[in-house]
């Protein structure tokens, strides 16, 4: 495969994954805010925590010692594309600044620390689960 064709394949993988991830973020926001009636902060927190778990689990499962053999296009589809489109650091920053501008310093601090902490915990859990899967015997 030529370098140009390989690059185009990666671009399409990232773009396709980002489109799906962004749609998933929008739909989860719709469900959390419109259907469940929760505050939009919950929507942003949810996608960031879930995305952190997904990206770490996928990175672990498809890494050099992982049990899934996925090429660069597949890894970029999920990690840069889907997870990049799903998660939203910028919305979390905006939410935090709105809370600060409204003078709700305690909620802003709680929100920011909670989302970052839960995202790291989700990444750790994703790593633990994927590492355990990597150690299971492979049926052939």
């Amino acid at each position: 495969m030529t370098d140009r064709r390989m690059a185009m394949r990666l671009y399409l993988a990232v773009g396709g994954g980002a489109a799906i991830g962004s749609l998933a973020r929008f739909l989860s926001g719709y469900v959390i805010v419109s259907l469940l009636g929760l505050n939009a902060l919950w929507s942003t927190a949810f996608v960031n925590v879930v995305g952190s778990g997904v990206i770490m689990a996928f990175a672990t499962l498809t890494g050099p010692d992982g049990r899934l053999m996925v090429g660069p296009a597949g890894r970029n589809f999920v990690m840069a594309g889907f997870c990049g489109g799903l998660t939203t650091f910028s919305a979390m920053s905006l939410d935090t600044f709105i809370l600060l501008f409204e003078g709700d310093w305690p909620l802003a601090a709680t929100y920011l620390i909670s989302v970052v902490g839960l995202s790291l915990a989700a990444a750790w859990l994703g790593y633990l689960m994927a590492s355990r899967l990597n150690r299971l015997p492979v049926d052939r």
Side-chain angles (χ1 to χ4, degrees):
M1 185 180 304
T2 67
D3 288 344
R4 187 178 181 143
R5 193 166 177 202
M6 183 99 139
M8 184 58 69
R9 189 170 176 197
L10 286 174
Y11 298 150
L12 290 172
V14 172
I20 294 168
S22 295
L23 182 59
R25 179 175 70 218
F26 173 79
L27 292 174
S28 66
Y30 176 77
V31 168
I32 290 169
V33 174
S34 298
L35 298 181
L36 298 178
L38 298 173
N39 185 300
L41 297 176
W42 287 100
S43 174
T44 302
F46 174 78
V47 296
N48 285 334
V49 171
V50 168
S52 295
V54 169
I55 198 169
M56 182 57 90
F58 194 78
T60 304
L61 287 170
T62 61
D65 295 332
R67 79 184 292 116
L68 298 179
M69 302 304 285
V70 176
R75 281 179 60 95
N76 280 287
F77 174 85
V78 173
M79 294 171 67
F82 179 77
C83 290
L86 176 67
T87 60
T88 175
F89 185 84
S90 58
M92 183 181 68
S93 299
L94 176 64
D95 292 341
T96 304
F97 270 98
I98 288 171
L99 292 170
L100 291 172
F101 291 145
E102 292 173 348
D104 199 343
W105 289 77
L107 182 56
T110 301
Y111 173 69
L112 189 59
I113 291 167
S114 297
V115 173
V116 171
L118 289 171
S119 294
L120 290 171
W124 178 67
L125 185 61
Y127 170 78
L128 289 177
M129 291 186 328
S131 293
R132 188 168 296 239
L133 282 173
N134 283 341
R135 289 192 301 268
L136 291 175
V138 178
D139 294 332
R140 295 190 188 230

